[in-house]
Amino acid sequence: MRGETVYMCFKNTKSKSYSLPSVALIVIAALTCISPPVLGQAVPYYQPHFPPEEFKVRWQKMFERIGDNIAIVQGGPKARGFTLPRQTNEFYYLSGIETPHSYIVLDGRSLKVTLYLPPRDERLERSEGKILSADDAELVKKLTGADAVASTQLMTEVWARNLLQGPPPPAVYTMFTPSEGSAEQRHEGENYDAGIALDYWDGRVSRETNFVQLLRTRFPRADVRDLTPILDDLRSVKSQREVSLIRRASQLAGLGIL
């Protein structure tokens, strides 16, 4: 996502083959092409590839699938150690937001989309640069097109009870399967989670399973349904912007191999 300017630097090179010194020069040139906002931005970083209109089309298709019900999708957690932070594919598809521990709620009754972001994390920003938070509510609405942006601190039991009130109470769609991250596929995630669950001295359930269990335990009358097949079906059909990015990524991979 942040390799756009690097790609342009590679694109502008004319040589067909490179010696080691030439490769080094190209790498240095690519790094110098990276704008200051990427290396140490003064404003929160947000992906430049998808405008609000792109997400609004995706949300509309989601509303058509869930009807007068609600969809809640978790963002990925903080990265451990020095692992490169990366948002899950599903949450990124719906918002473009990379802030860890964020949530998105799509309410099919009002056709409203609300993003919930954690408060500003200065400690995280010292290592990752400025990150979008609940403090940037107006900016987030402008960038994503969301109807509302609020703090995750508001997502209490009272909040959920008000969200799920009827009559009739809406069904709640959320992911039942592992989210996809960097170099991960759904089935590998399922095998990983199964290995932990079957370990006699571990036995933990996955983050997604835990979220489903929390919803069902705290709100026993809620009809919790799997959002996975709906999201997978929507993501299988690419927009023109997505096709262009896939083509660009392929070109970058080819240049890397050369």
Side-chain angles (χ1 to χ4, degrees), residues 6-13 15-16 18 23 26 248-258:
V6 176
Y7 162 74
M8 294 307 297
C9 292
F10 275 112
K11 183 180 179 182
N12 292 331
T13 58
S15 177
K16 299 287 186 177
Y18 307 108
V23 172
I26 291 172
R248 182 172 293 115
S250 301
Q251 293 168 342
L252 283 169
L255 287 170
I257 293 172
L258 290 174

Side-chain angles (χ1 to χ4, degrees), residues 117-257:
L117 276 61
R120 184 182 176 192
D121 187 338
E122 294 185 5
R123 181 177 181 181
L124 183 62
E125 288 185 343
R126 282 198 293 270
S127 60
E128 301 301 334
K130 292 283 288 183
I131 296 172
L132 289 170
S133 69
D135 298 355
D136 306 301
E138 292 304 317
L139 176 60
V140 173
K141 285 195 291 185
K142 179 180 178 181
L143 292 172
T144 65
D147 298 290
V149 177
S151 172
T152 51
Q153 292 180 331
L154 298 178
M155 298 178 72
T156 62
E157 192 166 334
V158 174
W159 163 85
R161 188 178 298 111
N162 291 334
L163 183 68
L164 301 178
Q165 65 183 357
V172 180
Y173 284 88
T174 193
M175 297 290 294
F176 280 19
T177 56
S179 298
E180 296 175 335
S182 177
E184 294 177 346
Q185 292 183 343
R186 182 72 41 72
H187 299 304
E188 280 72 20
E190 290 174 331
N191 290 335
Y192 173 84
D193 291 340
I196 292 177
L198 293 173
D199 186 336
Y200 182 76
W201 294 108
D202 195 335
R204 291 169 296 158
V205 298
S206 69
R207 189 165 182 259
E208 291 77 18
T209 299
N210 182 63
F211 187 59
V212 172
Q213 291 179 352
L214 286 174
L215 287 171
R216 286 175 170 166
T217 300
R218 294 174 179 174
F219 309 99
R221 295 183 180 180
D223 178 13
V224 184
R225 302 176 184 177
D226 189 6
L227 184 64
T228 304
I230 294 177
L231 256 181
D232 283 357
D233 191 36
L234 294 179
R235 289 179 57 213
S236 68
V237 180
K238 305 302 181 185
S239 68
Q240 187 55 52
R241 289 187 182 90
E242 289 176 297
V243 172
S244 297
L245 285 174
I246 293 171
R247 183 173 290 116
R248 182 172 293 115
S250 301
Q251 293 168 342
L252 283 169
L255 287 170
I257 293 172

